[in-house]
Amino acid sequence: MAPWRGGLPGRYGVALLAVLLATLLWAALQAGAGPLLAQLEERSGDLVWRLGADRKEERRIVVVDIDERSLREVGPWPWPRETQARLIDRIAAAGAGQQIFDIVFPDSLPGSEALTGAIARHQPVTAQVLALEQGGSPSVGALTGALDWPACPAPFATAAGYLANYEAIRFARAGHITPRVGSDGIVRHQPAVICFQGKSYPALGLAALMQGTGAPDLSLERGTGWWDPAWKLGAPQLTGPVPLDARGDLRIAWHQHPDAYASVSAADVLAGRASAGLLSNAWVLLGSSAFGLNDSIGTPFGGMSAGFLAHLQIVTALIDGRTPSTPRAGPAVQAAAAGLGMLGLLALSLRPWRAAPAGGSAGAAATAGAPQRRPRRFPVYLLPLVAIVWCVLLWGGHALLLTRGAVWIGWQAPVLFVLLFGSTLGILEHARSRIDRDQLYAHLSSYLPAPVAAALALQPPSGAIKAVTRQVSVLFADIRNFSAYCDTRPPEEAAAVLHAFFSTATRVVEEHGGVIEAFQGDAVFAVWNGSPDTARDGLSTEEGARQALQAAVALLRAIHGVLPDPAPAGLEPLSLGISVETGPAMAGSFGLARRRTHMVMGRTVTIASRLVEMTGELAHPILVGEGLAAQVGAAGLQSMGTFLLEGMRVPHHVYAYPLRAAVGNDTDH
């Protein structure tokens, strides 16, 4: 099929235009609303975590929570160093396998020797904060736990300051607790490593994993495989590499519902009220959910959650090897998903569906001589809906990969493109089909009465009789002596005369509110009030009759400049005979669904057709039936007497429009 047809794009042209427009719109949206779209994608990830969060109790990591009850029972924070040391000892005595602090001890206060001793005995992983975005931040305490790297590698950011523990405990392993807060306040990433003064400091979860597995250091390498992340951290002691994104961040896997983690109040641990065995062999995270300590973050599960929830999720994912990664081939996978969606929509819009007639297969129907149904195509208005379904499937695949495979591919780019393409293709196809339908209607209305064509265009094919009976006025106009004229003149000349007559008759009839029902040989058949939809005409029977008579008079006057005058030598002059009548008639469609015709039929039509044949015999160009005469009044008409018309059983009174009035200057009856 050619891409362009008759000056308008065909199906392939529409498809090409849809691809171009969708691509331009997609690029414009990515450029103008990229951050908003990225945030929408991240929020959809939040929804995935909420819907698929595991609520099974997690006992490998237990929270010792400095909660509101602890502050009421033990006192306001910071607690005395001796109390803090006693809490560490109690956790160790309960059998904890490892202690991880989401708390920084920046000041050396009275009693710090007790805390220093407890940390030295039990070797917890302590916390420190590195300021990434706060320019000119002060540096407090002593940083510790730097990786044994010669310099700060490329993907990691450099801090402007820090908040670390006091100098006496710099021997303890530490990890930073600096989050990467999204523009909407939700924490979804954490820098795996942050640099300061040429040294590299790992995140708290990584430091805990290193201490728990005995890994002395970490190695960094670029991803090389198509399914590898941009960067990988690894060590021989780890079960697998830790995936990082292009800027060196860990994506937080919110696999566990917050309620899945076991938690015990710090006050209960200090008072010996904690359940026996709860902390045995568990990694214990010491943090605070108390509102007054200002350690709150936004998570997919709530806007104000305890900060230690992020570290719980990071450590759990690191232990299980389920830290989400974005493969280097992610953009290619997204492009492939968008391409598949586009090809599917193109296949639906371009490929016709061939349906066999009911009651048998297509082959059997052809063998029996039954007509084949014409090819059907997918409804264009459903293309956007198909695009939406495809996009839902894409999002579902993204969610499944994230929750089951810990792989973040991303969905907004292909989904946006498929939605734009489906909508654009649907709109363009609909516009093209409307143009085609308008062209078809224009052609149809040139062969059928315009109201009939409009009604048929909105109806499916049917083999039933669709007709109504109403009061109509009809006009027949016939060129007398035209057959003899055709026998002696070239066909081109006869066709030109007929064309001029049909054009003039159409103009006159329509100017007087009528509709050309048919061209029958060298005759014109027109109707008033014959539309399938009576509301289209809006004429009373009397008004229709009056306009039909006026049209007859106007046509007789207009035809004088159309028919050859004088007639060619040896031929009778061409003249026009016109008849008009008013009465009941049936108007509608008849025949099989595959071949129908529109007709106005009945006694009134028969009378008018007989009267037009009598115009020559009675030497009057316009004859009027008694039905129309009764509507307009017979005072201005000339009675020609009563005649038994051919094919009729009852005589009919015939009237003539006065010849002088018909050919004069007065067009009114």
Side-chain angles (χ1 to χ4, degrees):
M1 179 185 295
W4 303 99
R5 180 191 61 195
L8 294 172
R11 291 188 178 276
Y12 288 97
V14 165
L16 182 62
L17 184 59
V19 172
L20 178 62
L21 289 177
T23 303
L24 292 176
L25 287 173
W26 180 86
L29 285 174
Q30 292 292 340
L36 182 63
L37 293 172
Q39 186 179 110
L40 176 64
E41 186 172 66
E42 291 289 353
R43 288 194 172 186
S44 78
D46 297 345
L47 177 62
V48 172
W49 295 128
R50 287 197 299 271
L51 294 177
D54 189 356
R55 293 177 178 269
K56 183 180 179 181
E57 187 176 25
E58 173 60 71
R59 298 295 296 269
R60 295 173 299 174
I61 303 176
V62 179
V63 177
V64 173
D65 189 3
I66 303 173
D67 54 8
E68 298 290 348
R69 185 160 65 87
S70 298
L71 298 182
R72 288 195 302 270
E73 292 186 13
V74 181
W77 188 265
W79 292 338
R81 292 295 196 221
E82 294 85 357
T83 303
Q84 295 170 356
R86 184 157 46 93
L87 179 60
I88 296 173
D89 288 336
R90 288 292 181 89
I91 293 173
Q98 178 173 232
Q99 297 187 47
I100 307 167
F101 291 173
D102 184 25
I103 297 173
V104 183
F105 306 102
D107 302 317
S108 180
L109 302 175
S112 291
E113 296 81 2
L115 179 60
T116 303
I119 292 176
R121 287 190 299 274
H122 305 298
Q123 294 295 312
V125 180
T126 59
Q128 53 196 10
V129 179
L130 289 156
L132 279 180
E133 300 175 356
Q134 298 84 354
S137 299
S139 298
V140 178
L143 285 173
T144 185
L147 297 170
D148 189 16
W149 292 352
C152 185
F156 302 119
T158 299
Y162 63 84
L163 177 66
N165 297 296
Y166 61 89
E167 178 74 21
I169 57 173
R170 67 179 305 163
F171 61 83
R173 185 184 291 273
H176 77 79
I177 56 174
T178 304
R180 185 85 72 177
V181 182
S183 59
D184 56 354
I186 306 299
V187 175
R188 304 182 182 91
H189 299 82
Q190 185 183 37
V193 175
I194 298 178
C195 301
F196 186 78
Q197 295 182 348
K199 293 186 177 181
S200 306
Y201 298 91
L204 180 65
L206 286 171
L209 185 67
M210 292 171 64
Q211 179 154 305
T213 59
D217 205 4
L218 295 174
S219 62
L220 176 70
E221 60 179 276
R222 287 182 181 272
T224 56
W226 68 277
W227 204 246
D228 283 347
W231 296 90
K232 295 184 288 186
L233 286 172
Q237 292 79 4
L238 304 184
T239 56
V242 178
L244 309 180
D245 64 16
R247 59 180 180 176
D249 286 356
L250 293 162
R251 178 177 286 277
I252 300 176
W254 296 94
H255 282 295
Q256 305 293 128
H257 193 278
D259 296 340
Y261 290 98
S263 177
V264 60
S265 173
D268 290 338
V269 175
L270 286 169
R273 297 191 299 261
S275 299
L278 177 63
L279 306 184
S280 179
N281 295 319
W283 287 15
V284 174
L285 180 68
L286 178 62
S288 174
S289 64
F291 183 76
L293 270 64
N294 296 319
D295 186 19
S296 297
I297 60 172
T299 74
F301 300 99
M304 293 290 289
S305 302
F308 60 71
L309 283 176
H311 306 298
L312 285 174
Q313 300 282 359
I314 291 172
V315 173
T316 305
L318 287 172
I319 293 173
D320 294 335
R322 298 183 66 190
T323 300
S325 65
T326 298
R328 295 173 63 247
V333 174
Q334 293 188 41
L340 286 175
M342 181 185 69
L343 291 176
L345 292 171
L346 286 175
L348 288 176
S349 66
L350 294 176
R351 185 174 181 178
W353 299 348
R354 294 188 178 273
S361 65
T367 303
Q372 296 290 310
R373 291 180 181 174
R374 67 185 184 90
R376 298 184 61 187
R377 295 188 179 273
F378 189 80
V380 296
Y381 56 83
L382 291 181
L383 289 176
L385 179 60
V386 174
I388 291 174
V389 172
W390 177 255
C391 291
V392 171
L393 293 176
L394 282 182
W395 186 83
H398 162 78
L400 191 63
L401 280 173
L402 182 59
T403 55
R404 302 300 181 189
V407 174
W408 176 282
I409 293 294
W411 61 268
Q412 69 87 6
V415 161
L416 180 62
F417 178 79
V418 172
L419 281 177
L420 289 173
F421 179 72
S423 301
T424 304
L425 183 61
I427 291 172
L428 292 177
E429 278 286 354
H430 180 66
R432 191 191 65 82
S433 65
R434 286 299 300 266
I435 293 173
D436 283 349
R437 191 174 75 175
D438 291 345
Q439 289 180 339
L440 178 62
Y441 167 72
H443 287 300
L444 189 62
S445 61
S446 67
Y447 288 89
L448 290 172
V452 176
L456 293 178
L458 300 176
Q459 297 175 359
S462 172
I465 296 176
K466 293 185 177 181
V468 293
T469 300
R470 59 169 58 96
Q471 292 290 321
V472 301
S473 294
V474 298
L475 177 149
F476 274 93
D478 178 61
I479 304 177
R480 295 201 294 269
N481 304 320
F482 188 70
S483 297
Y485 181 86
C486 291
D487 286 341
T488 58
R489 308 303 299 167
E492 294 81 5
E493 184 178 325
V497 172
L498 201 60
H499 176 74
F501 167 55
F502 287 164
S503 300
T504 302
T506 300
R507 175 180 57 79
V508 171
V509 167
E510 291 180 350
E511 286 176 354
H512 289 79
V515 174
I516 296 295
E517 178 66 26
F519 297 128
Q520 300 176 348
D522 56 1
V524 171
F525 175 29
V527 180
W528 281 257
N529 281 340
S531 168
D533 181 4
T534 56
R536 290 181 179 272
D537 294 294
L539 299 175
S540 65
T541 303
E542 181 180 345
E543 289 173 331
R546 190 174 300 278
Q547 290 191 13
L549 183 57
Q550 292 173 354
V553 176
L555 178 58
L556 185 64
R557 294 174 179 174
I559 206 65
H560 284 296
V562 175
L563 299 180
D565 189 20
L571 293 178
E572 293 289 332
L574 299 180
S575 60
L576 193 64
I578 304 173
S579 65
V580 287
E581 173 63 313
T582 297
M586 176 177 288
S589 299
F590 308 88
L592 296 176
R594 66 178 184 271
R595 185 65 177 89
R596 292 172 69 80
T597 186
H598 178 79
M599 297 175 60
V600 178
M601 57 186 294
R603 179 174 180 272
T604 302
V605 178
T606 303
I607 291 173
S609 66
R610 298 294 184 264
L611 291 180
V612 76
E613 297 171 358
M614 296 175 60
T615 54
E617 301 173 11
L618 299 180
H620 276 277
I622 300 177
L623 294 181
V624 179
E626 61 184 17
L628 189 141
Q631 293 293 327
V632 303
L637 301 176
Q638 179 180 346
S639 175
M640 303 299 294
T642 300
F643 296 86
L644 182 61
L645 304 179
E646 182 182 352
M648 308 296 293
R649 298 170 59 185
V650 178
H652 193 81
H653 200 143
V654 178
Y655 297 84
Y657 193 86
L659 183 60
R660 181 176 298 177
V663 299
N665 295 325
D666 183 11
T667 61
D668 295 331
H669 169 57

